Amino acid sequence: MTGIMLSNHFQNGIETAKLVWSRLPSSDDVETEEELERRVNGGGGAESLDYEVIENYAYREAQAKRSKLFNWYYAMLKWLIALLIGVGTAVAAVFINLAVENFSGWKYAVTFSIIQHSYFLGFVVYAIFNLALVLTSVFIVTQFAPAAAGSGIPEIKGYLNGVDTHGILLFRTLIGKVFGSIGSVGGGLALGKEGPLVHTGACIASLLGQGGSTKYHFSSSWLRPFESDRERRDLVTCGCAAGVAAAFRAPVGGVLFALEEVTSWWRSQLMWRVFFTSAIVAVVVRTAMAWCKSGKCGHFGSGGFIIWDISGGQEDYSFKELLPMAIIGIIGGLLGALFNQLTLYITSWRRNYLHKKGNRVKIIEVLLISLMTSVISFGLPLLRKCSPCPNSDANPDIDCPRPPGTDGNFVNFFCSTDKEYNDLATIFFNTQDDAIRNLFSAKTFHEYSAQSLLTFLVMFYSLAVVTFGTAVPAGQFVPGIMIGSTYGRLVGIFVVKYYMKLNVDEGTYALLGAASFLGGSMRMTVSLCVIMVEITNNLKLLPLIMLVLLISKAVGDFFNEGLYEEQARLRGIPLLESRPKQFMRNMIAQEACKNQQVISFPRIVKVSEILYVLRSNKHNGFPVVGHGRNGEELVIGLMLRSHLLVLVHSKRDFQSSPFPCDPRGVTSRHIWSEFVKPISSKGMTIDDIHLTEDEKEMYLDLAPFLNPCPYVVPEDMSLAKVYNLFRQLGLRHIFVVPRPSRVIGLITRKDLLFELLAACIFRRMIIQLQWNFKPLVAPGPDRRSVGLQEHIDHPLLDSLLIQR
């Protein structure tokens, strides 16, 4: 009977929890009707990218003029750019870390020197220091680089998924990201610099790929071969991996992060360049760290670049510990999902109401949050009773209390004697990197009380939720590690208390808690697992990290999507997920486009008609159709809106007669770079076109400039197949046509082998030569005539052709 009652209570508890969760706003609830329409129609301020190669006549003619020397130069340039991306991202990371560590060091040194005389005056100086740094950050973002706000990872993920958001890869965005991160992180906000570093690496890669910035007169002509969206995508992928490698000193984790989290298209050649870029980052960062050890970097000490070495801690674990470790995974999944839900709701409210009131409101909001953070971080330790330092004889390696203004454990703050420390101030009065290092520290039993950890968890979790989404560069890696390591160490305290005979270390549980929260919030597995191993330098804990990551991700997926997916949807970025939805398998391609009105052009079209179509709709691609011998309509190709604008604006291809033109000589009238969309995403618009009435009556032959071989699917193809084709190939347009009535061939795997293709090309050349040359006369008494075919017969060639 008791068991039945407990079962009923448990079931009622689950139903109550689901009811409470359902009342929290979901991603669909917080979306206004205007935002939904904007997202469905291509996103707010976003545009699809042309990852498909437009193999028109102009492109093929330009490719034919490239020599072997140019191809070698092009291949070497790719590796050189990968090298420069690694060096540039590492230098940016070194600069950000040096600035943050020095600003924080000066802040804490001045504060500790003043509180020796007056705690109130110390708080005033501490708060003013934070306000000044945060004001610098929010002013840069609101007045100079609006796209630098946030982590930038959802926008970069959208870019690599095929969606370009305006302004995310500009030079000013790079500057705003670097200096804004210094202000927001150095100002003590509950944010990190690791997410912005990923965006920084992507900006550096994009700028190098386009030859610099023409607006700010930093440009080079020898980098111009990287002009297509596909080539820029590869470079941005290298930049993302370099950003993670520089942020965590985790080169392998950077490669896996780019593969698992941000990019949706991958190939083996790209893997080599991404790995090379991450290796360069690791070398440069390590060189900078070695140089700073000589004391030339000011307050830059053991903090800064993240390496939380816990190799001296727990080396083994018992089967009994798996239960509390699984509990850590469940807690991480629940708190991570709740974090995603709360930040989604607050960020939506900001975008729909608060931030629409102007930049002044954005600045005031950030300053109020900064002041609140200063009050909490300075005021709460004042309410906490100090603890006596550990016995120096039993713990000779422990420096307690630490000298004022230096990084480390055991901070003496508002204590009555010199041999006491404030455990809550040990977490609050440090940079986030140093605070995590303290939480991860091994063999420091009972350094933190459960009350202090619980207090810090509640307050920092709340600050992280409120701060995320403000108008400053903001990452969530390190705050997530802070939150997870706090409740992880809290669980570790209870494990140490109840499993007295086991070699249990609280720092090990702090590490597992950090992994569980990141897994529950960001939903990464492989890359996050490798990153945690690299930043802690402890391979023995790999199975445990894998366990908590799998549990936390499974729990988090039960409630909502990952943090970046939710934020991307909120920003109107139409991401295509890795798999199609189940209902798409029951739909066909015709059903997805049944409400569309297809607007097409004939091959030769009047200029006035082009202007009318471009002004009357916002489509970015138009079918070009013609008529066959029997009068049926045939698809000739695809014409891009951007290409039409270039042609109409240049006026060089206008003709007075409505007849086909000679496509030869297109490259003499145009440079292929004219058709490349600039990195600013603005490009040319219809408002830039100014024509006379006579020019509007002229004609334009679209054949040399259209894509003659767009991707085409039959109308009854499964929508799931169309989805996979669209995403895996990085397409922008797919034509849906009636099912073809005739088959002209069948291509199999064997038909794509290099040997067979080479043999076919060779045989075609022979046949061509037979028509161009006279028969040869063989030496000998009969001097019979033989064909050229008899002189080049080869068994391998014949066997390949017979197999076909």
Side-chain angles (χ1 to χ4, degrees), residues 67 167 178 197 243 262 264-265 308-309 325 520 533 587 640 670 719:
S67 61
V178 171
L197 266 176
V262 292
S264 58
W265 190 86
W308 299 307
D309 194 341
M325 291 175 182
V533 170
M587 296 180 62
L640 295 179
H670 295 279
L719 190 59

Side-chain angles (χ1 to χ4, degrees), residues 380-441:
L380 286 181
L382 294 176
L383 305 177
R384 179 65 187 160
K385 184 179 178 181
C386 293
S387 304
C389 288
N391 190 349
S392 58
D393 296 331
N395 303 278
D397 297 332
I398 293 179
D399 185 13
C400 179
R402 69 168 190 178
T406 60
D407 60 279
N409 299 48
F410 307 105
V411 175
N412 185 286
F413 185 82
F414 203 62
C415 298
S416 57
T417 66
D418 293 337
K419 287 299 181 180
E420 291 182 332
Y421 74 96
N422 191 315
D423 58 348
L424 196 55
T426 301
I427 312 177
F428 271 122
F429 263 75
N430 268 310
T431 62
Q432 292 183 15
D433 293 351
D434 288 328
I436 295 171
R437 187 175 289 105
N438 295 341
L439 290 169
F440 280 5
S441 59

Side-chain angles (χ1 to χ4, degrees), residues 22 24 73 101 109 192 199 206 222 269 271 290 309 435 456 493 540 663 717 786:
S22 65
L24 285 174
Y73 161 75
E101 288 292 312
H199 194 177
S206 179
W222 59 277
Q269 297 93 333
M271 172 75 81
D309 194 341
F456 179 79
I493 290 176
K540 295 180 180 179
M717 176 181 280
V786 296

Side-chain angles (χ1 to χ4, degrees), residues 291-309:
W291 183 71
C292 286
K293 286 182 179 179
S294 61
K296 299 178 181 179
C297 299
H299 286 272
F300 186 84
S302 59
F305 287 103
I306 298 174
I307 281 289
W308 299 307
D309 194 341

Side-chain angles (χ1 to χ4, degrees), residues 654-665:
F654 288 179
Q655 58 187 43
S656 56
S657 60
F659 299 105
C661 68
D662 187 1
R664 292 175 295 183

